[in-house]
Amino acid sequence: MIPEPFEYHAPHSLAEATRLASELGEQAKLLAGGHSLLPMMKLRLAAPRHVIDLGHLQELRYIREAEEKIEIGALATHFQIESSALLNEKCPLLADTAREIGDPQVRNRGTLGGSLAHADPAGDWPAAMLALDAELQAVSAQGERWIAARDFFVGLMSTALAPGEILATIRVPTLPARSGDAYFKFRHPASGFAVVGAAVRVKLSEAGHIEQVAIGVTGVGAKAYRAADVERELVGKSPTARRLVEAAAHAADGVEPNADLFASAEYRHHLAAVYVRQALERALEKARA
Amino acid sequence: MNIRVRINGAAREDEVEPRLLLVHYLRDVAGLTGTHIGCETSICGACTVLMNGEAVKSCTLLAVQADGAEITTIEGLTAEDGRLHPLQQGFWEEHGLQCGFCTPGMILAAHQLLSRNPRPSRSEIRRALEGNLCRCTGYQHIVKAIEWAAEKMGGSTS
Ligand SMILES: Cc1cc2nc3c(=O)[nH]c(=O)nc-3n(C[C@H](O)[C@H](O)[C@H](O)COP(=O)(O)OP(=O)(O)OC[C@H]3O[C@@H](n4cnc5c(N)ncnc54)[C@H](O)[C@@H]3O)c2cc1C
Ligand code: FES
Ligand code: FES
């Protein structure tokens, strides 16, 4: 299992990388951790003429606090995120999501930016990005733009990134007071990917009502989505056990669930309701603590 | 393309094709066949080596990505005088292998675990081996072997 031959480029700055990406256009593939791209190249499902390795761009490996937000460089690995003291304290949803990905070796290599750009329907990150209303910065030789997570995931393995654009920064808000978050995932027993994954961030009012709630769901449909119907059922309400069950039943409304050998569409639909409810319960517990 | 790497402490420089996988570089170019190829699809972990101290699946890396890196393979754990590393000895003492095919990868994954967490619980050991499959042992003895090594190393991380 050997990839087709290609020309290899190893830029040492983002500016050099964007210039190469714009010059080579659709003939080139960016390489971050390589844990989605290389398996595809080995199977010859992908055979780019040029590979632009972003691995030397140390400038995109940071995790830092910026006012009420946290900024993460696209090249930060899953392991960096899982083990970041800053994230474990101020945005635990990201550290908790990272811990659920693949296995230790995969987490050492795989990157946040690579996962988002790859947009695997069973990938874990999109759920958290949606629940946090993340903003994603795309940089190209022409300049930069910020894309809201809601607009980023366009379809099956397709995103709003244009050819020549490099995902550089991911920006998320820190966890406010009286808030909690959680990621619950049904792992595929062989691959580790999300058969269903639900990410929740919830904020309570002083009186204990749900002031804000955001729910990202992955694994169910062709792309990750916000469970807007569940959110609508809950905002402004008191989170009783019964209300959570009833609201979570709408977790896959309007979505055509994937079906494969492992999980039928009906089963995924069912799992979505169960995992959304469990994630809500855990996030609420944390918000009350 | 020309790459420079240090493998088990020794510097090397080689001209490689960009598509050459790290595992093939280690086995076929550097002649270190202790690193095994199992699934070739990033699942089994038999090809695990340490790159700059981190466990990686060398079938899912290009050799060119290792340019400038420090690689440790199973051969690099044994002391010059042939003394086994406590992890290697642990697998011996606790019968942590049968056919041995998964063993180099298991040991390097365990090596990373003990360097990050010198006193792991059983469940932490199991979690650390999620990326490594064994078709023979049923894992119990592997977990015991790693506990043996952790004990022997007394919480130190060499
Ligand atoms: C055994 C195994 C188990 C896994 N389990 C899980 C799991 O449980 N959950 C999960 O979510 N994922 C899982 N993954 C996938 C893993 O998280 C990948 O690392 C990730 O999806 C891709 O990140 P990468 O850095 O490896 O990207 P790469 O493979 O390098 O790139 C992926 C794609 O994104 C593009 N790209 C990369 N970086 C950028 C950028 N900065 N800007 C624009 N485009 C870019 C590339 O051109 C390519 O098309 C698993 C992978 C393996 C091999
Ligand atoms: S041979 Fe690399 S993971 Fe199986
Ligand atoms: S000892 Fe045979 S595969 Fe593990």
Side-chain angles (χ1 to χ4, degrees):
Chain A
M1 260 193 243
I2 295 166
E4 286 204 23
F6 54 85
E7 215 174 296
Y8 176 78
H9 309 265
H12 277 82
S13 71
L14 180 57
E16 198 186 339
T18 51
R19 186 179 51 72
L20 276 167
S22 100
E23 253 171 49
L24 300 169
E26 308 229 22
Q27 298 198 334
K29 272 277 181 197
L30 301 166
L31 176 68
H35 272 49
S36 291
L37 182 58
L38 291 176
M40 288 178 66
M41 288 172 61
K42 285 164 66 182
L43 293 168
R44 312 237 170 160
L45 296 170
R49 294 267 302 279
H50 296 269
V51 168
I52 305 172
D53 185 358
L54 305 177
H56 296 284
L57 303 187
Q58 288 307 326
E59 60 190 295
L60 293 187
R61 289 202 188 274
Y62 59 85
I63 301 176
R64 67 182 173 221
E65 201 170 358
E67 286 152 32
E68 306 281 283
K69 310 253 175 177
I70 290 172
E71 293 186 341
I72 305 176
L75 270 274
T77 60
H78 309 323
F79 175 69
Q80 253 181 294
I81 294 173
E82 129 187 43
S83 57
S84 153
L86 175 66
L87 291 177
N88 276 288
E89 188 197 333
K90 300 209 164 162
C91 195
L93 179 58
L94 293 183
D96 291 346
T97 300
R99 263 187 281 278
E100 290 293 322
I101 296 175
D103 57 53
Q105 291 95 318
V106 169
R107 296 197 291 276
N108 281 340
R109 293 297 304 167
T111 67
L112 174 56
S115 290
L116 297 177
H118 192 63
D120 192 299
D124 289 293
W125 283 122
M129 293 297 117
L130 290 165
L132 296 174
D133 278 318
E135 304 160 278
L136 313 177
Q137 182 203 36
V139 177
S140 71
Q142 281 73 47
E144 59 154 82
R145 63 184 176 119
W146 286 88
I147 308 167
R150 275 172 188 274
D151 303 323
F152 186 80
F153 304 104
V154 174
L156 186 74
M157 297 182 132
S158 89
T159 70
L161 289 174
E165 277 187 326
I166 297 180
L167 185 56
T169 307
I170 293 88
R171 192 153 72 191
V172 295
T174 53
L175 192 65
R178 295 193 308 276
S179 301
D181 58 20
Y183 183 58
F184 271 62
K185 168 187 183 183
F186 186 103
R187 278 173 82 91
H188 189 289
S191 76
F193 275 92
V195 176
V196 166
V200 169
R201 180 181 268 191
V202 63
K203 182 166 197 271
L204 291 173
S205 68
E206 302 245 8
H209 290 140
I210 296 183
E211 193 172 298
Q212 285 169 14
V213 58
I215 306 165
V217 181
T218 189
V220 178
K223 61 169 182 160
Y225 62 92
R226 277 281 286 266
D229 290 346
V230 183
E231 296 173 5
R232 211 171 302 119
E233 296 274 322
L234 292 174
V235 176
K237 310 270 176 62
S238 144
T240 60
R242 169 132 183 234
R243 184 165 279 134
L244 294 183
V245 174
E246 285 173 3
H250 298 286
D253 280 7
V255 177
E256 198 167 312
N258 301 326
D260 54 33
L261 274 179
F262 181 71
S264 65
E266 216 178 354
Y267 185 45
R268 272 199 170 74
H269 195 285
H270 170 71
L271 288 176
V274 173
Y275 281 77
V276 164
R277 177 178 54 76
Q278 290 181 346
L280 277 166
E281 286 168 355
R282 179 81 187 105
L284 283 161
E285 213 174 279
K286 285 162 80 179
R288 289 190 201 105
Chain B
M1 174 178 155
N2 193 265
I3 61 169
R4 290 159 188 259
V5 287
R6 288 181 74 82
I7 306 177
N8 303 327
R12 288 187 66 101
E13 192 170 342
D14 292 287
E15 190 63 33
V16 299
E17 225 191 319
R19 64 171 168 164
L20 182 70
L21 300 174
L22 180 60
V23 70
H24 292 139
Y25 172 71
L26 292 171
R27 290 176 56 88
D28 304 342
V29 181
L32 296 168
T33 52
T35 304
H36 293 164
I37 303 177
C39 65
E40 286 197 81
T41 54
S42 328
I43 303 287
C44 75
C47 64
T48 300
V49 300
L50 302 180
M51 183 159 119
N52 299 326
E54 292 197 315
V56 298
K57 292 177 176 174
S58 61
C59 75
T60 314
L61 245 86
L62 301 168
V64 289
Q65 289 177 285
D67 187 21
E70 175 93 41
I71 306 282
T72 305
T73 67
I74 190 68
E75 289 91 342
L77 290 193
T78 310
E80 300 249 324
D81 62 5
R83 237 178 332 112
L84 295 181
H85 185 279
L87 274 164
Q88 294 171 305
Q89 209 186 333
F91 273 68
W92 175 292
E93 299 292 341
E94 296 292 337
H95 311 288
L97 63 142
Q98 287 179 24
C99 79
F101 201 83
C102 69
T103 312
M106 287 286 175
I107 288 181
L108 289 160
H111 192 283
Q112 164 174 281
L113 169 69
L114 297 185
S115 70
R116 289 177 179 174
N117 176 3
R119 288 253 166 240
S121 66
R122 283 204 168 175
S123 73
E124 286 168 335
I125 294 175
R126 287 180 182 277
R127 279 220 68 185
L129 300 179
E130 274 177 353
N132 296 75
L133 299 180
C134 176
R135 298 287 81 170
C136 304
T137 65
Y139 302 98
Q140 306 286 3
H141 293 289
I142 294 178
V143 174
K144 282 192 191 149
I146 295 168
E147 283 183 318
W148 190 97
E151 180 75 22
K152 181 88 170 179
M153 290 158 76
S156 88
T157 58
S158 71

